[in-house]
Amino acid sequence: MIVIVGAGVAGLAAALAFQRLGLQTLVLEKASDLRAGGTALTIWRNAWRALDVLGVGEELRNQYYLLAGSHVVSLQGKVIHHLSFGNCSRGGLNEVRAIERGALLEALAKPLPAGTIRFKSKVVNVRKGTKKTYNEVELEDGTIIASKVLVGCDGVRSEVAKSLGVKEPRFVGQCAIRGVADYPAGHDYGPMLLQFLGRGTRAGVVPISSTKVYWFVCFKSSSAVVRKVEPDVLKQEALEHLKSWCKKNLEEFSSLIENSPNHTVTRSALRHRWSLPLVSPSLAADGVTLAGDALHPITPNLGQGGCLALEDGVILARELYNAVFARKSMNAEDMDTNIKCALDAYAKQRWYRFFPLTVKSFFIGFLSMLELWPVIYARDSFGVKVALQPDRFLKHTLYDCGELPIPS
């Protein structure tokens, strides 16, 4: 049996990919139900490819806006750059939509057989197996579950990652407050993503549907500690970080924040991890590997965190199936060897994919949060235009995770 820890985007994508191949999985989730709270995810072309392979793309497409492009707006309220999502000469239209996190999780979970997800199952300890023993996870209630393949999809503070010796992600000195504004009678935003660049702050507006708009405010912070505070306090804090912005920009965000139900408003510290070959611990060992934020914590500046997680699920399932489960017969020793080879191949593929994006996302976030006026002037005058050239900026969204094999 394949055990997956965490029923987030990565865990459910992996479970669904395995299920499409006829393989049984058990997903352990510490919460009492799907974590449908939170805001939204920007899903780019590469992730829509993965969703189509998983068989849920069309269902989600019909619910959300197709975004045509992005306007970059200065502190003074001037549009300083326009990026069309249809201008990437190497791949044509770049499909971009924002999806509510809860709706994505429900779409991934719905096709899974009953009993696949075991809720209220918090993992407190992981013991890696050997060639003669299984991997074991210990739950908070003392239950021990053994498996030949263990996949950690349990987020940035992953218990499974700790068992591999992987360090926790590093705080990058920035935090974000996010929310989803609700306009039952409709809003005036067209299908355009708006990015606002300030001095030490930046913000964004992403229309989700005809009635909902996702927004975020990022700002510098000396502390990664996220206190539990009332949503109304978070809303006021977000406005406080925008008080130096022009009246037009401030009024726009005031309306968004005011129209956001409290349960959609969150605050988080931004983190990442640079996994370096020969320096960092292996991302796969003894039948254990990672996916999603547990594998590649990344800052949100490219909108690729959830996209990478969806790719992970497809590629992991394909590698394991082809190396192990597609074989007609195999002794125990050969199975262990093939599992190791499959997980090593998966980890190597994913490193070459996520590491450049982790670095790129960090530097984009750094440049967008500058505070020196001469540098801000250079950024807004020509830096943004250079950085956001379509063929350069959108290249990573042309990635194709490939198909799942046809089960034999």
Side-chain angles (χ1 to χ4, degrees):
M1 180 171 60
I2 301 166
V3 172
I4 298 170
V5 181
V9 175
L12 294 178
L16 182 53
F18 282 121
Q19 191 267 332
R20 298 293 189 208
L21 295 172
L23 303 177
Q24 180 186 7
T25 61
L26 175 63
V27 182
L28 302 174
E29 170 54 46
K30 64 182 179 181
S32 58
D33 52 20
L34 288 179
R35 292 168 288 170
T39 52
L41 300 171
T42 306
I43 302 297
W44 294 78
R45 171 177 170 159
N46 52 304
W48 283 109
R49 171 64 171 149
L51 288 170
D52 286 337
V53 171
L54 294 172
V56 298
E58 206 56 37
E59 172 190 346
L60 290 165
R61 272 189 187 91
N62 296 330
Q63 303 177 49
Y64 301 101
Y65 270 176
L66 175 63
L67 299 176
S70 171
H71 289 315
V72 182
V73 184
S74 71
L75 189 65
Q76 294 76 31
K78 178 184 176 183
V79 176
I80 57 177
H81 185 66
H82 170 72
L83 174 66
S84 172
F85 295 150
N87 280 351
C88 191
S89 62
R90 297 182 230 194
L93 179 66
N94 201 314
E95 182 178 8
V96 189
R97 289 178 168 86
I99 296 180
E100 292 171 282
R101 176 183 171 83
L104 177 57
L105 294 183
E106 289 171 6
L108 294 170
K110 186 168 61 175
L112 296 175
T116 299
I117 307 173
R118 184 182 295 183
F119 294 107
K120 298 181 181 178
S121 299
K122 182 179 180 180
V123 173
V124 295
N125 192 24
V126 177
R127 291 186 285 272
K128 289 193 300 178
T130 65
K131 285 189 174 182
K132 296 182 179 180
T133 63
Y134 285 81
N135 297 299
E136 292 182 343
V137 293
E138 181 182 353
L139 305 185
E140 194 171 38
D141 64 5
T143 301
I144 304 293
I145 299 174
S147 70
K148 269 295 182 185
V149 177
L150 176 63
V151 186
C153 304
D154 44 341
V156 294
R157 290 187 171 87
S158 166
E159 286 294 328
V160 181
K162 289 178 185 177
S163 76
L164 292 171
V166 175
K167 293 182 179 180
E168 286 197 3
R170 186 177 67 85
F171 176 54
V172 300
Q174 300 174 17
C175 290
I177 297 176
R178 303 174 172 97
V180 175
D182 192 3
Y183 296 93
H187 57 74
D188 296 329
Y189 292 96
M192 296 296 296
L193 188 156
L194 304 177
Q195 299 182 68
F196 298 84
L197 301 182
R199 185 186 184 196
T201 59
R202 61 187 177 84
V205 176
V206 189
I208 297 175
S209 65
S210 60
T211 60
K212 293 185 178 182
V213 181
Y214 166 54
W215 58 268
F216 63 85
V217 176
C218 292
F219 50 91
K220 291 188 174 182
S221 174
S222 59
S223 173
V225 178
V226 178
R227 306 179 310 276
K228 289 186 177 181
V229 298
E230 293 298 316
D232 286 336
V233 176
L234 293 181
K235 291 179 179 181
Q236 191 57 45
E237 182 184 359
L239 288 173
E240 185 69 19
H241 287 291
L242 303 178
K243 65 182 181 181
S244 64
W245 291 30
C246 72
K247 183 178 179 181
K248 178 184 175 183
N249 291 357
L250 186 57
E251 287 178 349
E252 186 163 357
F253 269 89
S254 296
S255 173
L256 288 166
I257 293 171
E258 181 182 344
N259 284 281
S260 299
N262 283 351
H263 72 273
T264 72
V265 181
T266 64
R267 186 184 195 273
S268 59
L270 305 188
R271 303 172 186 271
H272 69 180
R273 181 173 61 233
W274 290 17
S275 299
L276 300 173
L278 305 178
V279 177
S280 303
S282 174
L283 299 173
D286 302 316
V288 180
T289 193
L290 308 169
D293 287 344
L295 176 64
H296 42 64
I298 182 174
T299 54
N301 308 307
L302 294 176
Q304 282 291 316
C307 299
L308 289 171
L310 291 166
E311 295 175 7
D312 292 342
V314 173
I315 294 170
L316 174 60
R318 183 174 63 239
E319 288 294 333
L320 266 174
Y321 182 84
N322 286 337
V324 181
F325 300 102
R327 307 294 179 90
K328 294 296 182 183
S329 62
M330 190 184 309
N331 60 42
E333 186 174 348
D334 286 344
M335 177 176 285
D336 290 336
T337 300
N338 287 357
I339 287 174
K340 180 183 185 305
C341 291
L343 296 187
D344 286 345
Y346 159 77
K348 184 176 181 180
Q349 280 187 59
R350 297 315 289 154
W351 184 86
Y352 279 107
R353 171 66 173 153
F354 72 71
F355 182 73
L357 293 183
T358 303
V359 176
K360 182 178 180 179
S361 183
F362 170 74
F363 280 108
I364 286 179
F366 173 79
L367 294 172
S368 65
M369 303 280 273
L370 297 170
E371 294 186 271
L372 294 175
W373 284 114
V375 185
I376 291 174
Y377 176 79
R379 177 195 69 189
D380 293 354
S381 298
F382 59 84
V384 170
K385 295 180 178 65
V386 173
L388 298 186
Q389 288 297 313
D391 278 359
R392 180 186 300 115
F393 183 71
L394 298 177
K395 182 180 178 181
H396 60 268
T397 67
L398 303 182
Y399 180 87
D400 188 342
C401 64
E403 297 281 354
L404 289 173
I406 299 174
S408 56

